[in-house]
Amino acid sequence: SQTIHQWPATLVQPVGSPLSLECTVEGTSNPNLYWYRQAAGRGLQLLFYSVGIGQISSEVPQNLSASRPQDRQFILSSKKLLLSDSGFYLCAWRDLYNTGELFFGEGSRLTVL
Amino acid sequence: SQQGEEDPQALSIQEGENATMNCSYKTSINNLQWYRQNSGRGLVHLILIRSNEREKHSGRLRVTLDTSKKSSSLLITASRAADTASYFCATAGDLGRGSTLGRLYFGRGTQLTVWP
């Protein structure tokens, strides 16, 4: 069966520091991968999505970047964090060939101080 | 924006009552999905309804879709305290248009509280 892992679960970082959040998927190949951000009490904002290695689409201009160095690995990064980058980051993969649903990781809570 | 919007933002009911949440969207869609999120956790898929379907059931869940009104509703019957969570609708673009292939857009969610 497919599983999705996301880490770290919690992160407290100072303004201006770098960021790296990692997501890996097991049990499927060539998945569509997504990064969403959820601000406190808000909905999910689609940040990036990827249909394959090295293929990244950005939804909104921002201080973040994403990379997909391997088929089942998706990384969210920043060179210098801003206070506004605080939030709950969720990685997901989509089963386009069957139900079309998204499978989410458990999320990474980032607090920028 | 293709993003769905849920209504109400918050709903508080007693166990055993039914809970109804609504979702409105703006563009044509291929399907609409409902998700649940427990506090501080990832989202879990509940049910998917395709654009050519009008109603779908799964256990205590009933989803309707009215593409003419661009709206959907999620009904949870005989609610339980364990149903307390945030519920989100998500829309997937019309594949025929191609521009939003593979992307799902979420609303802000409805926070449901079920009191024992």
Side-chain angles (χ1 to χ4, degrees), chain A residues 34 36 49 59 99 102 106, chain B residues 35 37 41 48 102-104:
Chain A
Y34 304 80
Y36 285 88
Y49 101 104
E59 280 290 297
T99 60
L102 277 175
E106 285 299 305
Chain B
Y35 288 79
Q37 183 183 33
R41 306 292 298 273
L48 178 153
R103 304 177 192 192
L104 275 181

Side-chain angles (χ1 to χ4, degrees), chain A residues 90-111:
Chain A
L90 289 158
C91 179
W93 73 275
R94 191 166 180 207
D95 182 6
L96 274 179
Y97 300 103
N98 292 305
T99 60
E101 68 186 86
L102 277 175
F103 295 89
F104 284 86
E106 285 299 305
S108 297
R109 185 163 301 284
L110 170 66
T111 303

Side-chain angles (χ1 to χ4, degrees), chain B residues 96-110:
Chain B
R97 307 252 175 162
S99 61
T100 54
L101 177 64
R103 304 177 192 192
L104 275 181
Y105 296 92
F106 288 79
R108 296 189 177 191
T110 292

Side-chain angles (χ1 to χ4, degrees), chain B residues 63-81:
Chain B
V63 169
T64 62
L65 179 64
D66 187 334
T67 53
S68 66
K69 295 181 180 178
K70 291 185 167 58
S71 67
S72 173
S73 67
L74 171 67
L75 169 67
I76 303 175
T77 60
S79 63
R80 306 166 182 167

Side-chain angles (χ1 to χ4, degrees), chain B residues 27-61:
Chain B
T27 64
S28 61
I29 60 170
N30 175 265
N31 65 70
L32 186 143
Q33 305 180 28
W34 284 91
Y35 288 79
R36 167 196 167 124
Q37 183 183 33
N38 288 350
S39 181
R41 306 292 298 273
L43 279 73
V44 175
H45 181 263
L46 293 176
I47 196 167
L48 178 153
I49 187 165
R50 301 190 188 285
S51 59
N52 61 353
E53 297 177 310
R54 292 297 167 257
E55 188 171 312
K56 203 162 183 179
H57 297 257
S58 176
R60 292 185 295 113
L61 304 180

Side-chain angles (χ1 to χ4, degrees), chain A residues 26-61:
Chain A
E26 297 176 359
T28 186
S29 58
N30 197 30
N32 276 17
L33 296 172
Y34 304 80
W35 278 111
Y36 285 88
R37 176 170 61 200
Q38 186 177 31
R42 303 289 298 276
L44 277 74
Q45 180 185 32
L46 179 60
L47 300 177
F48 300 96
Y49 101 104
S50 172
V51 297
I53 295 174
Q55 300 179 64
I56 310 293
S57 295
S58 174
E59 280 290 297
V60 294

